[in-house]
Amino acid sequence: MNPLNAEEKATYEWQMWTRGFGEAGQVKLKNATALVSRTGGLGGPVAQELAAAGIGKLILAHGGKVKHSDLNRQILMTHDWLGKPRVECAARRLRELNPRLEVEAVPANISEDNVTDLVDRAHIVFDCAPLFEGRFAMNRACVAQKKPLIDCAMFGLEGQVTTILPGETPCLQCIYPEIPPGWKREFPVFGAVSCAAACFGVMEGIKWLSGMGPSLAGRMLYYDMRTMRVRTVPLRRRPDCPICSAA
Amino acid sequence: MRVTVQYMGQLGHLAERSEESRELPEGASLLSLLEGLSAQYGEAFGHIVFTGENRIRPSMMVLVNDVPVEKTTPPVLRDGDQVTLLAAIAGG
């Protein structure tokens, strides 16, 4: 593993004081690659927090161009980039934040066509896609390649996060065997609600990468910012799950 | 008897509430509670909760007192139970 240089030691000094993390955890983070599906309301803050924390490489996958309706929550997008590719805007902002970060900007959303290759090149995957088709594709690829999947989602004032460890925990299709009816591409969203799910997810990922251990394996954290109720829900593997029962 | 129902995801949006207390006859089942809620809150709500065969959808998470229920054999409810309905979400 590549060790930390003097600049990195100075930059990450305060987080290396965290019990159980230390310089050894920071080195693991520096040598890690994360795939982040989309760089919107969830994926944007996921990528930002991973970049700030010192992850070595980010692979960002997001198609489309910046629109006005992105700007209430997609914190890596800027007004001056309206009409230009989202993923390039995100990569530009992340390089400003952390010039040591290697960023690969893929101008396409996760699909069956690209998911196997993208997951193959990452140590960990952050699922921040707005449609179940993309989420299921990542789940299948992560189970097949035995890669951890941090699944983050939100709706309205609510959010949820779980950590999927293939072979150990329920996979996404144990939790949702089918594409749920009635889910629409557009949904009510405040940026702060998305950002909270992103931050919970990032810490799960950092804990897994650094060896501190994820705590949401087999559990789903659920929060409601309307009532400020936070809970964790136990999850079960489905013995007949077509995706992970053989894993 | 009275039970508390908590709504999460789109169900809270459709029911326009996060939580409510419901009066039920003694020995009422989870299934009858869900049928009553679906009748009250409309077709979209019912479509998220039930399949066309009136079974609880596999993609729905249903907890009674924080314990996931087996959806193929929904339990009888008791006074004071807390029922949580989590509809799947994927927003980003």
Side-chain angles (χ1 to χ4, degrees), chain A residues 156-204:
Chain A
L157 300 189
E158 301 168 31
Q160 66 183 40
V161 180
T162 189
T163 298
I164 295 166
L165 302 176
E168 297 178 37
T169 70
C171 80
L172 193 60
Q173 285 198 245
C174 288
I175 307 168
Y176 307 127
E178 58 176 6
I179 290 181
W183 180 257
K184 295 175 182 168
R185 170 65 189 82
E186 295 175 334
F187 43 83
V189 51
F190 274 94
V193 182
S194 293
C195 197
C199 290
F200 280 120
V202 165
M203 280 318 302
E204 281 292 284

Side-chain angles (χ1 to χ4, degrees), chain B residues 7-89:
Chain B
Y7 303 97
M8 295 183 176
Q10 289 171 286
L11 295 178
H13 193 69
L14 293 167
E16 298 185 333
R17 65 200 65 207
S18 300
E19 180 178 308
E20 67 179 313
S21 178
R22 304 279 294 201
E23 184 73 35
L24 298 174
E26 286 297 326
S29 69
L30 174 65
L31 202 59
S32 67
L33 169 67
L34 296 179
E35 287 169 345
L37 296 173
S38 297
Q40 179 175 344
Y41 294 128
E43 189 177 344
F45 187 103
H47 191 51
I48 291 172
V49 174
F50 287 114
T51 68
E53 294 78 39
N54 209 39
R55 292 182 182 158
I56 301 173
R57 277 204 180 274
S59 58
M60 273 287 301
M61 290 175 65
V62 183
L63 313 178
V64 175
N65 301 325
D66 282 338
V67 177
V69 303
E70 181 52 62
K71 281 168 278 199
T72 53
T73 54
V76 169
L77 298 174
R78 295 177 180 167
D79 186 48
D81 276 350
Q82 178 181 281
V83 177
T84 306
L85 307 177
L86 293 102
I89 60 175

Side-chain angles (χ1 to χ4, degrees), chain A residues 200-243:
Chain A
F200 280 120
V202 165
M203 280 318 302
E204 281 292 284
I206 287 175
K207 287 188 293 178
W208 185 84
L209 288 166
S210 66
M212 295 166 75
S215 58
L216 287 175
R219 298 189 301 158
M220 179 178 283
L221 181 144
Y222 208 105
Y223 62 85
D224 181 351
M225 287 192 167
R226 191 180 300 273
T227 60
M228 286 301 180
R229 183 182 290 132
V230 181
R231 65 203 299 184
T232 54
V233 174
L235 302 172
R236 292 176 177 162
R237 288 188 81 176
R238 276 198 307 138
D240 60 343
C241 176
I243 306 303

Side-chain angles (χ1 to χ4, degrees), chain A residues 1-13:
Chain A
M1 283 197 181
N2 294 323
L4 303 183
N5 61 33
E7 182 183 81
E8 288 164 337
K9 287 182 181 176
T11 302
Y12 305 116
E13 181 182 19

